[in-house]
Amino acid sequence: MRLVLPEHLGEITLEQFQKYTLLLNDTALETIDFENKKISIFTNLDEKSCNLLTKKDRKECLEIIDNSMNRSIEFTQKFDFKGKKYGFIPNLDNISGFEFGDLQSAGMDVQNLHVVMAVLFRPIIDEDKYGNYRIEAYNGTQSSEELMKQLPLHLVNGALFFFL
């Protein structure tokens, strides 16, 4: 059996992190069940197969996962994702009431971060030679919420770090 483990935040999706956060809040789990679920979340290996891992391999998997989440965070303003170029809202002072309302409604709950990312990052529709750009007009998050769950976690954390 060959496992692919994340080595850094760029290899962890927001959705995986959301599942992991729910797992952390499940205090009723036995250690072995917690470990199986954790490995399953980050490797897409089913939980039954996790029971087949040796103690040494299990420990190594858990260490690699933990280390991948303890990397430095940098804000990334523009990036390519799923065949499109995305950009952070160029001027937060000029966000609409609609955007602000959706950000407030979503809050900072980890389970709503895909909504927050759908407000903050949108496809770039125009960019000049100086790096200035315009993003798609805001029409709500419904069309991009699910896509944002696949966003690499380093981009999510960078956007949140930006607000700090």
Side-chain angles (χ1 to χ4, degrees), residues 48-62:
K48 277 187 171 184
S49 297
C50 291
N51 283 323
L52 301 175
L53 294 171
T54 65
K55 183 177 179 181
K56 178 183 176 228
D57 288 344
R58 172 183 297 281
K59 182 180 181 209
E60 186 177 342
C61 285
L62 294 168

Side-chain angles (χ1 to χ4, degrees), residues 65-83:
I65 291 167
D66 289 341
N67 288 338
S68 71
M69 294 208 280
N70 293 324
R71 304 286 181 178
S72 62
I73 301 167
E74 290 183 23
F75 173 63
T76 304
Q77 190 168 356
K78 297 182 283 188
F79 56 89
D80 290 315
F81 182 62
K82 305 284 184 184

